[in-house]
Amino acid sequence: MASQSGTTSDINTQASASAPAPGITTSRTTRDGSVATSSDPRAAPTASTAQKLRGDASGAVSGTLGSVQAAAGAALRNAGLEDKGRARMREEDERLGAKRGVMPVGSGRRMEKGEGEGVE
């Protein structure tokens, strides 16, 4: 009899080995002295080039959606929608700062404006 090499436990073990570990954070001191922290494993210095490129693409989409969401919230005078959009943009700014060591242009203004909110 031939044995099955692709059992469920083998597949789960392979999936967990290739999945990023939860709770790992990347912190980096930027040129201006602030500390940028990201829990995105694609921002880590040990990430492969393909992972970093995927992170950049998904980050660009997320940042753009956050910008549109914040603009729509401001136009509709919906503070909750605007805050969610700004939080999304701040999260992407933190990821980029942790990855490159330089905070994106304009991120300081977003940080000041949403200072009373917690960023997760």
Side-chain angles (χ1 to χ4, degrees), residues 8-110:
T8 306
S9 62
D10 291 340
I11 293 170
N12 289 339
T13 304
Q14 290 171 356
S16 65
S18 65
I24 294 177
T25 58
T26 302
S27 295
R28 194 168 190 175
T29 304
T30 61
R31 291 182 188 165
D32 65 356
S34 62
V35 177
T37 305
S38 175
S39 60
D40 186 356
R42 297 170 293 199
T46 57
S48 70
T49 303
Q51 287 177 319
K52 289 179 182 181
L53 289 173
R54 270 186 266 145
D56 287 346
S58 68
V61 170
S62 180
T64 301
L65 290 175
S67 180
V68 168
Q69 191 174 19
L76 299 173
R77 297 177 191 217
N78 183 337
L81 185 63
E82 184 178 3
D83 291 343
K84 286 180 185 178
R86 288 190 185 278
R88 192 177 227 171
M89 289 189 295
R90 280 192 299 275
E91 185 179 298
E92 178 57 17
D93 289 346
E94 284 289 320
R95 189 189 75 79
L96 289 172
K99 179 181 174 192
R100 296 192 179 111
V102 179
M103 293 301 282
V105 175
S107 63
R109 235 184 121 176
R110 284 192 284 278

